[in-house]
Amino acid sequence: MPRAQVPNVVIRRLPLYLQTLERIAETGQQVVSSTELGNQIGVSSAQIRKDLSYFGEFGRQGLGYDVENLRNQLKRILQLDQVWHILLVGAGALGHALANYRAFEEQNFAIVAVLDNDEAKIGQPIGDLTVQPMTSMERAVRDNHVEIGILAVPARAAQSVADNLIATGIRSILCYAPITLSVPEHVHVAYIDPVTTLQTMTYYL
Amino acid sequence: MPRAQVPNVVIRRLPLYLQTLERIAETGQQVVSSTELGNQIGVSSAQIRKDLSYFGEFGRQGLGYDVENLRNQLKRILQLDQVWHILLVGAGALGHALANYRAFEEQNFAIVAVLDNDEAKIGQPIGDLTVQPMTSMERAVRDNHVEIGILAVPARAAQSVADNLIATGIRSILCYAPITLSVPEHVHVAYIDPVTTLQTMTYYL
DNA sequence: GTGTGTGAAACTGTTCACAGCT
DNA sequence: AGCTGTGAACAGTTTCACACAC
């Protein structure tokens, strides 16, 4: 069980490999070398080989990697060979964009419920769903086997919503608010905020 | 000029420090220690002191850091003491969410024009602006002194739009499409994609 | 006592370079 | 010849621990 000793950065690169393999597969190409894959992603060939070596030997010396096989292996490693259920909190402009983002379902992520605390939004349609009140959180998580929460709420509300999500048993949170959440050890949080990202880019301008 | 030798990871943490200082400043607190700041962000105090030491000595031994001063220093370091002009490409659901996201202007980022290639969207209002055709790109960049481009277009269009942006002289691109762009050395690209992020989270579930 | 700034040490991650297979 | 898998060398990052200042 290699799990624990795989560096975090390696895990973050695997989805890029997977994405690129899927684009390559669409062209009908069946075999790819670490050099070719690396060139498309901007990563060295050694890095790709080393990263993959944490999980097994997927290539053939002298040839390269079978595109379809490596794609399946990566999906298995990242546990992407199943559907994951997501609860979206926040039905503002961002929530609507997320609820209508087709890439989720294409990649086996299903938003199964949307919550908001704004009376005016509750009951309104969003994507294929209907906005529910925050009080429905626990039931929505339980009934739909939700594993992941997406926070599309204002920064001031994020921590308290996160606390509620964690109380229902959720262990993975994707947070769009520009605030560092304080969570127990066993909960994973990832952050997406364009302002934070832009603030690093201006340094280099 | 310390610039070149400052590690990338350090730059990525500075906006977190800044955000947290701004929240602390709102409470009226005037002095903060590296320990307290670190606790709020989930970073060690040594890391904060080391990071800041790349740029100067901002603290007072035995006391800590003056919140307002450190905030200003960070803004200066990240070049956030000026307004940056952004061109947004893509007026779909995501483009609308971005155009209406108040945090941009609050943090000195101004979206000055929005483009789309869809005839049905051109001329429509978006935020305080009007969607313009892609042919307006060069003029929009020149007339508004645009320094940053945001790509909110489908993956298949992203590379070609990026090429056009770069041709107008833009050197910073924030890309929402799940594809690694191929760009010249001098262009900085940052990526934001929820699916890619979720695909790393499932590994740990 | 409290807390910064910083070299040195420890640790983590990346690249090199080559044996071995096709 | 072309390419993988990998130990070893190298580079980058974080933590430690302490002199110094309040």
Side-chain angles (χ1 to χ4, degrees):
Chain A
M1 54 179 97
R3 216 120 263 242
Q5 72 245 28
V6 180
N8 229 276
V9 278
V10 172
I11 304 301
R12 282 205 300 272
R13 281 191 293 266
L14 298 186
L16 303 182
Y17 302 165
L18 178 56
Q19 270 167 27
T20 307
L21 284 167
E22 290 184 341
R23 258 198 311 286
I24 290 171
E26 276 173 18
T27 70
Q29 183 179 335
Q30 295 185 358
V31 174
V32 70
S33 69
S34 57
T35 306
E36 188 185 351
L37 192 53
N39 285 343
Q40 294 202 28
I41 308 177
V43 159
S44 76
S45 63
Q47 178 126 81
I48 289 179
R49 295 199 302 276
K50 185 65 123 184
D51 284 355
L52 296 177
S53 76
Y54 284 102
F55 305 96
E57 307 190 358
F58 307 122
R60 297 227 292 154
Q61 293 179 326
L63 295 172
Y65 300 87
D66 181 88
V67 173
E68 199 54 30
N69 175 246
L70 186 53
R71 181 166 169 262
N72 288 333
Q73 297 286 354
L74 287 172
K75 286 186 111 165
R76 180 183 52 76
I77 293 163
L78 292 170
Q79 300 195 266
L80 297 172
D81 43 11
Q82 63 175 279
V83 174
W84 293 97
H85 305 110
I86 297 177
L87 174 70
L88 171 61
V89 185
L94 174 60
H96 273 87
L98 291 170
N100 289 299
Y101 188 41
R102 301 304 296 268
F104 283 123
E105 59 190 77
E106 283 163 18
Q107 297 291 334
N108 273 359
F109 292 100
I111 297 180
V112 293
V114 184
L115 310 185
D116 203 298
N117 68 354
D118 180 351
E119 285 293 339
K121 288 178 184 139
I122 294 164
Q124 296 292 311
I126 178 166
D128 306 325
L129 302 165
T130 300
V131 179
Q132 296 178 253
M134 298 292 274
T135 48
S136 304
M137 185 185 287
E138 192 170 354
R139 205 160 56 84
V141 169
R142 189 165 14 87
D143 292 358
N144 299 289
H145 304 98
V146 168
E147 298 99 358
I148 300 168
I150 297 187
L151 283 186
V153 302
R156 66 181 175 283
Q159 180 67 58
S160 114
V161 176
D163 292 344
N164 292 341
L165 283 173
I166 293 163
T168 68
I170 281 182
R171 290 183 359 248
S172 292
I173 295 176
L174 178 56
C175 179
Y176 277 83
I179 180 175
T180 307
L181 299 175
S182 144
V183 301
E185 189 84 357
H186 69 280
V187 176
H188 274 260
V189 185
Y191 298 92
I192 289 186
D193 177 53
V195 172
T196 308
T197 306
L198 289 173
Q199 286 177 335
T200 73
M201 303 191 83
T202 52
Y203 175 82
Y204 298 100
L205 272 167
Chain B
M1 56 183 92
R3 216 121 261 245
Q5 72 244 27
V6 180
N8 230 276
V9 277
V10 173
I11 304 302
R12 282 206 299 272
R13 280 190 293 265
L14 299 186
L16 303 182
Y17 301 165
L18 178 56
Q19 270 167 26
T20 308
L21 285 168
E22 291 184 341
R23 258 198 313 284
I24 290 172
E26 276 173 19
T27 70
Q29 184 180 335
Q30 294 185 358
V31 173
V32 69
S33 70
S34 56
T35 306
E36 188 185 350
L37 193 52
N39 285 344
Q40 293 203 28
I41 309 178
V43 159
S44 76
S45 63
Q47 179 130 83
I48 289 179
R49 295 200 300 278
K50 186 64 128 183
D51 284 357
L52 296 177
S53 76
Y54 283 102
F55 304 98
E57 307 190 0
F58 306 123
R60 298 225 293 154
Q61 294 180 326
L63 295 173
Y65 300 87
D66 180 86
V67 173
E68 199 53 31
N69 175 245
L70 186 52
R71 181 166 170 263
N72 288 333
Q73 297 286 354
L74 287 172
K75 286 185 110 165
R76 180 183 54 75
I77 293 163
L78 292 170
Q79 300 195 267
L80 297 172
D81 44 10
Q82 62 176 281
V83 174
W84 293 96
H85 305 109
I86 297 177
L87 175 70
L88 171 61
V89 186
L94 174 61
H96 272 87
L98 291 170
N100 289 300
Y101 188 40
R102 301 305 295 269
F104 282 124
E105 59 190 78
E106 281 162 20
Q107 298 290 335
N108 273 358
F109 291 100
I111 297 180
V112 294
V114 184
L115 311 184
D116 203 296
N117 68 354
D118 180 350
E119 284 293 339
K121 287 179 186 137
I122 293 165
Q124 297 293 311
I126 179 168
D128 305 326
L129 301 164
T130 301
V131 178
Q132 296 177 254
M134 297 293 273
T135 49
S136 303
M137 185 185 289
E138 193 171 353
R139 205 160 57 81
V141 170
R142 188 164 15 86
D143 292 358
N144 298 290
H145 304 98
V146 168
E147 297 100 358
I148 300 168
I150 298 187
L151 284 185
V153 301
R156 64 180 177 283
Q159 181 67 57
S160 114
V161 175
D163 292 344
N164 292 341
L165 283 173
I166 293 164
T168 69
I170 280 181
R171 287 177 8 241
S172 292
I173 295 175
L174 178 56
C175 178
Y176 277 83
I179 178 173
T180 307
L181 300 175
S182 144
V183 301
E185 189 84 357
H186 69 280
V187 177
H188 274 260
V189 185
Y191 299 91
I192 289 185
D193 178 54
V195 173
T196 308
T197 305
L198 289 174
Q199 285 177 334
T200 74
M201 303 192 83
T202 53
Y203 175 82
Y204 299 99
L205 271 167

